[in-house]
Amino acid sequence: MKRLATAIAMSLATAGAGLADDITVGFAIAKSGWLEAYDTPATTAARIRIDEINAAGGLLGRQINWIEADTKSDQAQSASAGLQLIDEGADMLIVNCDYDFGAPAALAAEGAGLNSFFLCAEDIKAGIQGVGPNSFSASVLAAVQGATMAEWSLGERGAKTGYVLLDTTIEYNKGICTGFDWMFPNAGGDIVGRDTFKNGDASIASQITRIKALETEPDVIMLCSYIPGAASAVRQIRAAGINSLILNGSAVDGSYWLNATPNLSGFVVPVQGSIYGDDPRADVEAFNIAYEKATGSRPASQYAYPGYILIDLWAKAVERAGSLDGAAVTAELEKMRDEPTAFGPRSFSGEIHHQNSAEMQIIEITDGTPGVAGNWRISTPVPLDVLLN
């Protein structure tokens, strides 16, 4: 009996040590509320990459497990979730897609000396500027999306004139227009007018009247908005007989909204990868298939992809640092210059923990069908002072 008790004690001790040796990733994410639609796909993608790393032998010779806490799309709950996960032993935190909602959890990680990654935030503040030196985002800045549309339309479609139509409802939209406003004139284009609206506006008739009053229809309209307001604006622009090429940011990727704009053509967005099965990179379609196997459906938009990217980059930095220490991992992340990923090269620096330049796939909708029309990487990264506008 004594030998049996000793064996059981030794077995329990060994099991405990095995669990203690695991690496723990904490997800402070929205499992309810409006942010859930953004957080869940990127979280699923992150866990796919974790499973791949574990199957290949783990990280630093250890398996990665994960724990989660629901932020409920609430800023106060974000802080509580972050602290809870740290108390439960998280070695790094992954936080909400949105900067405002993810920042409280990221700040908790910063206070504990841990790395944090925003799932898909595209505001420069989601990193050094708004959280601290150990915080990063895996997505591509909104301003880069706008700058990409500006330079691509000039280089590939011969655009010369542009009109800016800004939805002032959220900061993301302003970021898109900031990038377009910076790049379009610098690349040789002429912005011939600008206007604003709100996402919930039922009509943009007055804005359309001002566009139609121009001597010549603009070559492109930079529409900085998101669904549902973007779909409503596009429908009204086309109904008014305006045939300008309409540009937008990544937020309107996906075909789920196209029933609201039947037979739409001449609408273009930049994305990190194509969900439509036509991405020229085999790794992207391999991920789409893995995502479908895990969830029963393909990604609905490109916003799943940053979750996969962030785990990939963080794991590489951990291996190179030989440590989970936040500062050591940050130092390795900041050395990354055009680091290969399945979705194109990624870079960080001591000033910017975001992508201020990235290869984007260009998705064009023609007769209601989206597809890859090419790819583009802006010739000059968006400067920090522009990003901070």
Side-chain angles (χ1 to χ4, degrees):
M1 181 67 69
K2 183 176 179 181
R3 283 198 299 271
L4 177 60
T6 301
I8 292 172
M10 289 179 65
S11 176
L12 290 172
T14 302
L19 291 173
D21 284 341
D22 284 345
I23 293 170
T24 302
V25 172
F27 288 85
I29 55 169
K31 299 182 68 180
S32 54
W34 71 273
L35 262 174
E36 186 273 335
Y38 293 90
D39 286 2
T40 293
T43 296
T44 299
R47 292 173 183 170
I48 288 172
R49 185 67 186 119
I50 287 173
D51 288 345
E52 290 174 350
I53 292 170
N54 283 339
L59 182 60
L60 300 179
R62 299 153 64 183
Q63 292 288 287
I64 306 170
N65 63 31
W66 52 265
I67 54 178
E68 63 181 24
D70 186 3
T71 68
K72 302 178 181 178
S73 299
D74 181 273
Q75 290 176 322
Q77 287 291 328
S78 173
S80 299
L83 291 170
Q84 173 190 326
L85 293 170
I86 292 166
D87 285 345
E88 291 176 5
D91 295 300
M92 68 91 79
L93 290 192
I94 294 172
V95 304
N96 297 122
C97 268
D98 182 82
Y99 164 71
D100 291 318
F101 287 79
L107 286 165
E110 194 69 36
L114 303 181
N115 292 114
S116 65
F117 264 91
F118 288 81
L119 278 168
C120 59
E122 295 168 349
D123 183 329
I124 187 63
K125 295 190 295 295
I128 299 171
Q129 285 72 22
V131 177
N134 296 313
S135 184
F136 295 78
S137 179
S139 201
V140 176
L141 286 160
V144 175
Q145 299 166 30
T148 299
M149 288 289 83
E151 195 172 49
W152 174 86
S153 67
L154 288 158
E156 291 294 310
R157 295 301 167 88
K160 293 180 174 60
T161 59
Y163 194 95
V164 177
L165 187 54
L166 167 63
D167 171 357
T168 59
T169 309
I170 60 173
E171 289 299 314
Y172 166 79
N173 300 336
K174 298 173 188 176
I176 302 169
C177 276
T178 293
F180 185 87
D181 287 341
W182 168 73
M183 178 61 86
F184 198 72
N186 284 345
D190 181 21
I191 296 176
V192 296
R194 60 180 66 247
D195 217 328
T196 63
F197 71 106
K198 290 283 190 182
N199 198 268
D201 289 348
S203 171
I204 59 166
S206 59
Q207 292 89 337
I208 287 172
T209 297
R210 287 188 282 273
I211 295 173
K212 290 179 74 69
L214 294 170
E215 185 174 338
T216 305
E217 186 173 281
D219 295 324
V220 298
I221 296 173
M222 184 67 239
L223 175 63
C224 306
S225 186
Y226 61 100
I227 304 300
S232 175
V234 169
R235 184 174 62 250
Q236 293 176 66
I237 289 168
R238 287 293 186 251
I242 297 171
N243 296 311
S244 306
L245 190 67
I246 302 174
L247 315 173
N248 209 319
S250 303
V252 293
D253 181 37
S255 59
Y256 61 94
W257 59 275
L258 293 180
N259 287 339
T261 56
N263 303 313
L264 176 64
S265 289
F267 186 87
V268 185
V269 298
V271 297
Q272 296 177 57
S274 174
I275 63 174
Y276 305 107
D278 58 352
D279 197 292
R281 301 161 298 184
D283 285 346
V284 175
E285 186 56 18
F287 170 81
N288 291 336
I289 292 168
Y291 187 94
E292 183 174 18
K293 183 178 179 181
T295 67
S297 61
R298 291 170 65 87
S301 83
Q302 65 112 48
Y303 281 100
Y305 300 149
Y308 188 91
I309 295 168
L310 79 84
I311 292 294
D312 189 52
L313 295 175
W314 171 75
K316 288 178 180 178
V318 168
E319 287 286 3
R320 291 168 191 175
S323 169
L324 293 165
D325 176 73
V329 174
T330 290
E332 292 301 325
L333 285 164
E334 289 179 345
K335 294 176 186 176
M336 290 182 175
R337 300 291 183 273
D338 286 338
E339 185 71 30
T341 79
F343 300 92
R346 295 291 184 266
S347 303
F348 297 112
S349 73
E351 285 190 329
I352 296 178
H353 286 180
H354 258 283
Q355 303 308 304
N356 65 338
S357 173
E359 177 188 321
M360 306 292 284
Q361 301 302 304
I362 308 301
I363 301 294
E364 182 166 8
I365 297 171
T366 304
D367 294 328
T369 302
V372 173
N375 60 72
W376 196 267
R377 184 171 185 170
I378 52 177
S379 58
T380 305
V382 183
L384 184 59
D385 62 335
V386 172
L387 295 170
L388 293 172
N389 265 351

